Amino acid sequence: KQWYQRRVAITAGGDISYANGFNHSRPTNAEQKVWDTWGQMVEPVGSKMAYMAVPGNHELDIYDSTNENGTIYTKRFIMPGNERYFSYGVGMVQFVAVSTDESIDANSTQGQWFKNVLKKANQNRDSRPWLVVFQHRPIYNSNNKHKHWKGRQFNTSSRYVNPEIIGWTDNYPTLLVEQNVDLVLMGHVHHYERTWPMK
């Protein structure tokens, strides 16, 4: 009981239930049962505090209509804003969630939104002195398989059409530093890592 009283929110950085399995190893239409089981497992905590999540690649797997394509995530998680990227305050912290499966360059919808929300958060530092960003894919990590998230070039060379995703190597880290973000939490890679301060 004491553990619950000290915490008021949980942030989840995507790949929440692995309902689509690892490399699509689950049979077709198994996702709902896995999500139900996961919901029962997290209910003791999730029913007592805010459970805020950004989608990961296992929730946004849009390559095959028989697999998870973000629909189940958006039905089970009602987040603020457009539900893929959003901002909310808890106590002394302003949280900003971004979607790493969308562009965040200066001309993109998410990039413009992100810059504006960071500026607004900085104007409110008296009330919420901490500014924390969370996301799925890490822009920096030492895992050789996942590497640094640089976005993606448009390509049709695989069996799927992959839209271009840009802004993660230039606009995004620049905004983090310029807008004095205190902490960035990232998921995707199943290892704990931390970096030196960016400035």
Side-chain angles (χ1 to χ4, degrees), residues 79-183:
M79 297 292 123
N82 73 7
E83 300 184 356
R84 297 180 317 280
Y85 50 90
F86 51 88
S87 180
Y88 62 96
V90 176
M92 295 173 58
V93 181
Q94 185 66 35
F95 288 94
V96 181
V98 293
S99 173
T100 53
D101 283 85
E102 296 180 44
S103 290
I104 199 160
D105 61 297
N107 297 318
S108 68
T109 303
Q110 180 177 218
Q112 292 172 5
W113 171 86
F114 186 56
K115 183 175 183 176
N116 290 334
V117 95
L118 292 180
K119 283 183 175 182
K120 185 176 177 184
N122 275 312
Q123 293 168 356
N124 197 27
R125 290 279 190 154
D126 287 342
S127 299
R128 294 206 164 100
W130 293 95
L131 181 53
V132 176
V133 172
F134 71 104
Q135 65 196 59
H136 181 56
R137 298 175 195 267
I139 58 170
Y140 308 118
N141 77 90
S142 64
N143 185 293
N144 287 330
K145 180 181 177 196
H146 291 293
K147 304 190 183 314
H148 307 314
W149 178 240
K150 298 177 181 176
R152 176 174 60 213
Q153 293 181 342
F154 177 82
N155 95 52
T156 56
S157 59
S158 68
R159 62 183 188 152
Y160 313 118
V161 175
N162 292 314
E164 182 178 53
I165 299 173
I166 59 175
W168 290 98
T169 58
D170 47 15
N171 191 53
Y172 180 68
T174 299
L175 286 172
L176 293 176
V177 173
E178 281 179 357
Q179 299 299 322
N180 300 306
V181 171
D182 297 298
L183 177 68

